[in-house]
Amino acid sequence: MPHDARDDLTVPDPALRRPFGRTGLAVTPVCVGTSPLASMPGLYGYEVGEERARATVEAVFDGPFNFLDTSNNYGGGSAERRIGAVIRHRGVPAGFVLATKVDADTGTGDFSGERVRRSAEESLERLGVGHVPLLYLHDPEFHITFEEAMAPGGAVEALVALRDAGVAGHIGIAGGPVGLLRRYVATGVFDAVISHNRWTLVNREAGPLLDEARDRGVAFVNGAPYGGGMLVKGPDAQPRYAYRDTGEPVRNAVRAMRRVCDAHGVPLAAAALQFSLRDPRIASTIVGVSEPERLEETLRLAATPIPPDLWGELDRHLPSPAAWLD
């Protein structure tokens, strides 16, 4: 059997900080995602109360991970408000990297330069801080074209101005379509990029983006390593991938991967998380949390022993790229 160089890759200590691209920041391989803390039962199927959300943020600040990701529009701002309540009580821990995102206006869809400035102001007020180390332009594909975003006076120019004014230490782009993200990265403007659901055990669309980000010194942050839950619960309990209905070829692929993991005594979720953690092109992997216990669970999954042969067996069950076409 030919030797695969990926078999030599190891999973880093999830609490050991690593360089974040060219920024000079140092982050843990796990970034705590806070979308679930906004309590969006329509998306996640469960509610998260105020007390539980604050307890989770407290646990994050006391825990091994130094990187937290949120957004202006998670739950209409409720995620930021809950995080901000903890920050006002105790401050941001030293060396902690707090990232948020500017979002379009939820009512009008406006994503102009002026909206970017307002979004940042709203986020800083909710969080109770005057500066964030990292600020992303979030999901522009739903509201504006690349040309509109890059135009004079547009969203990107406003984001750059916020960085230059000291509101943000560094700026990034966060979104879905790989081709579009590559266009943004190629501008040289952004220090970081978040891609979600497109670099997982079952979906490898983002490969070219990972390579391009690495070559340009742009930090790549991998969101949704579990595909919205399918790579934790399996496709029969969670038939949707990335919160969307998914065809049988994808579900069958995940069923086969789960059988492989079961045969090796490895939880599917551990393989899904470590698939991302072991990739040296990835600066950090966003894992959403909804309660303090999820932090310990993430550490356990990251430390689960996985035999090297497992990775090649999983690769043999990848669905074809056509399975992801709408």
Side-chain angles (χ1 to χ4, degrees), residues 178-267:
V178 170
L180 180 61
L181 290 177
R182 291 184 70 187
R183 292 186 72 186
Y184 280 110
V185 167
T187 65
V189 169
F190 299 96
D191 303 306
V193 56
I194 296 176
S195 172
H196 59 83
N197 293 293
R198 289 161 173 87
W199 191 249
T200 69
L201 278 180
V202 74
N203 186 315
R204 312 289 172 86
E205 291 180 69
L209 176 61
L210 271 84
D211 288 339
E212 185 156 357
R214 175 199 58 203
D215 294 346
R216 292 179 175 274
V218 173
F220 184 94
V221 180
N222 196 28
Y226 304 128
M230 181 182 285
L231 294 171
V232 175
K233 301 175 182 178
D236 297 308
Q238 173 52 277
R240 306 182 83 200
Y241 182 95
Y243 316 109
R244 299 175 58 188
D245 291 334
T246 306
E248 274 306 298
V250 172
R251 296 178 192 175
N252 286 335
V254 178
R255 290 184 183 106
M257 289 179 172
R258 187 169 196 174
R259 288 194 295 271
V260 169
C261 287
D262 288 346
H264 285 276
V266 172

Side-chain angles (χ1 to χ4, degrees), residues 63-119:
F65 310 131
N66 82 321
F67 194 9
L68 181 144
D69 177 89
T70 190
S71 184
N72 177 283
N73 200 29
Y74 287 164
S78 63
E80 289 181 329
R81 281 192 290 271
R82 291 170 168 189
I83 295 164
V86 176
I87 290 174
R88 286 181 172 87
H89 171 68
R90 57 177 291 174
V92 179
F96 200 90
V97 177
L98 177 63
T100 192
K101 309 179 191 76
V102 292
D103 281 277
D105 185 283
T106 54
T108 66
D110 174 31
F111 216 172
S112 62
E114 177 56 32
R115 171 55 200 166
V116 166
R117 289 185 285 272
R118 288 200 308 274
S119 180

Side-chain angles (χ1 to χ4, degrees), residues 19-26 170:
F20 192 67
R22 62 188 178 220
T23 65
L25 298 173
H170 306 278

Side-chain angles (χ1 to χ4, degrees), residues 158-184:
L159 193 66
V160 170
L162 289 169
R163 181 197 62 196
D164 293 347
V167 171
H170 306 278
I171 58 175
I173 178 72
V178 170
L180 180 61
L181 290 177
R182 291 184 70 187
R183 292 186 72 186
Y184 280 110

